Amino acid sequence: MKNILCFGEILWDAFGDEKIAGGAPMNVARHLVQQHMNVLFASRVGRDASGDGLVDFLKANGLFSDLIQLDEKLPTCEVTVELDKNGIATYIIPEPVSWDNILTETALTKAAGKASAIVYGSLACREAKTKDTLLNLLQETTALKIFDVNLRAPHYTLSTIETLVAGADVIKMNEDEAALLIGGSNSHIKEKIIEFQKKYHPKTICVTRGEHGAIAWHDYEFYEHPGCPVSVVDTVGAGDAFLAAFVSGLLKNEPMQQLIEKACYVGAFVAGHRGANPVYDESLLAKF
């Protein structure tokens, strides 16, 4: 089975008094496990009670390994999550935290060398240490490089995002991120995607459109799905679930139209439940 390495942040999402383990790369890893893929997760936690809790959580979910580094000085990350009346989440993210200091260790280098795909985002690259570690890994591996843009203002610079985009084979972003990266012209989204592809040359581009589904460009063709009606509880993790389904389909060489339909269904399922990682109803996956 192909190995997928998910690289980046792990943290506690605080919803008032309730704390739930989160972080986009970790959420993607958990969804990939639910979709029966072989996954490794690389991050860094502090040597504190919050870090111990995350280590226990990873062990319970089959995601703990020597790729989880321990930081002696920087704390484990705890994020405040605020939901609006429509369940749309905003995040208050402290810094610096332990995953700002992911280092190039032997275990990580070996894992990247054996991976068929590496999934990474922008947030963990806000500081030089982790960004340099990731860029070094991407230069040394032949794995499929999958960039989840996942912008969290003010924790990014356009120069860093452009560097990460330029090194990616597959790029997933939402409509707001696409507007920022592709440009604010009045041209149709398909024309914008074509311009973007000509500039950065990724193999695959996917833009998620919330309740309106998603559109993907792959092998010089477009594929679309209008989205799935769902009563939204919160949007936390819905994009991560979508990406996991998209990645698993790519690695299984599933037809792109089927793949994007599955990703939209899984993303909608998560949006209809509390938190980023609800347990799947197996009938959901059985459809595909």
Side-chain angles (χ1 to χ4, degrees):
M1 184 179 290
K2 295 179 179 179
N3 294 321
I4 305 170
L5 173 62
C6 296
F7 175 100
E9 67 270 13
I10 186 172
L11 47 87
W12 290 108
D13 280 323
F15 298 82
D17 294 332
E18 181 184 15
K19 292 183 180 179
I20 300 174
M26 194 280 292
N27 291 338
V28 172
R30 284 195 71 195
H31 285 290
L32 285 166
V33 169
Q34 285 211 73
Q35 293 168 36
H36 312 300
M37 302 299 289
N38 192 32
V39 188
L40 294 170
F41 175 58
S43 190
R44 191 174 181 95
V45 300
R47 284 193 182 272
D48 49 32
S50 290
D52 293 343
L54 286 177
V55 167
D56 291 342
F57 173 85
L58 291 172
K59 288 178 178 178
N61 286 274
L63 288 173
F64 182 77
S65 71
D66 55 359
L67 301 182
I68 305 302
Q69 302 174 8
L70 301 177
D71 199 290
E72 300 290 345
K73 296 181 179 179
L74 294 174
T76 301
C77 184
E78 296 192 11
V79 170
T80 300
V81 183
E82 298 177 347
L83 301 176
D84 67 15
K85 63 181 180 180
N86 297 315
I88 306 300
T90 56
Y91 306 87
I92 301 173
I93 307 170
E95 62 178 316
V97 294
S98 50
W99 46 257
D100 286 315
N101 192 39
I102 301 174
L103 303 179
T104 305
E105 296 183 348
T106 301
L108 181 55
T109 302
K110 288 183 178 179
K114 295 178 181 179
S116 298
I118 298 179
V119 179
Y120 56 95
S122 59
L123 180 56
C125 293
R126 66 183 180 177
E127 297 290 344
K129 283 280 190 181
T130 299
K131 180 177 72 173
D132 290 346
T133 295
L134 175 62
L135 292 178
N136 288 335
L137 291 178
L138 296 178
Q139 288 175 358
E140 297 298 326
T141 182
T142 58
L144 189 71
K145 301 169 182 66
I146 302 165
F147 178 34
D148 179 16
V149 177
N150 197 32
L151 300 182
R152 294 284 178 260
H155 303 283
Y156 66 89
T157 64
L158 281 178
S159 61
T160 293
I161 301 305
E162 289 174 348
T163 297
L164 296 172
V165 165
D169 300 308
V170 179
I171 298 167
K172 174 255 180 187
M173 51 191 157
N174 64 31
E175 283 187 297
D176 291 338
E177 292 159 348
L180 178 66
L181 297 181
I182 297 177
S185 69
N186 293 324
S187 59
H188 190 275
I189 183 64
K190 291 184 178 180
E191 294 175 4
K192 292 181 180 180
I193 289 173
I194 290 171
E195 291 175 11
F196 185 81
Q197 195 280 331
K198 288 179 179 178
K199 181 176 180 180
Y200 292 106
H201 309 293
K203 298 177 181 177
T204 305
I205 301 167
C206 183
V207 178
T208 58
R209 312 177 82 174
E211 65 185 82
H212 302 296
I215 182 170
W217 179 96
H218 179 74
D219 282 346
Y220 299 95
E221 291 190 33
F222 281 99
Y223 302 84
E224 298 182 66
H225 190 272
C228 311
V230 65
S231 179
V232 174
V233 175
D234 68 59
T235 60
V236 179
D240 305 327
F242 177 99
L243 179 59
F246 196 82
V247 170
S248 66
L250 279 177
L251 294 182
K252 293 175 182 177
N253 294 315
E254 294 177 357
M256 181 58 64
Q257 190 60 46
Q258 174 183 315
L259 185 164
I260 198 168
E261 179 181 349
K262 177 175 73 172
C264 285
Y265 270 96
V266 173
F269 175 84
V270 172
H273 292 75
R274 176 72 165 168
N277 291 285
V279 176
Y280 293 169
D281 177 347
E282 282 299 316
S283 65
L284 176 76
L285 296 180
K287 290 181 180 180
F288 305 100

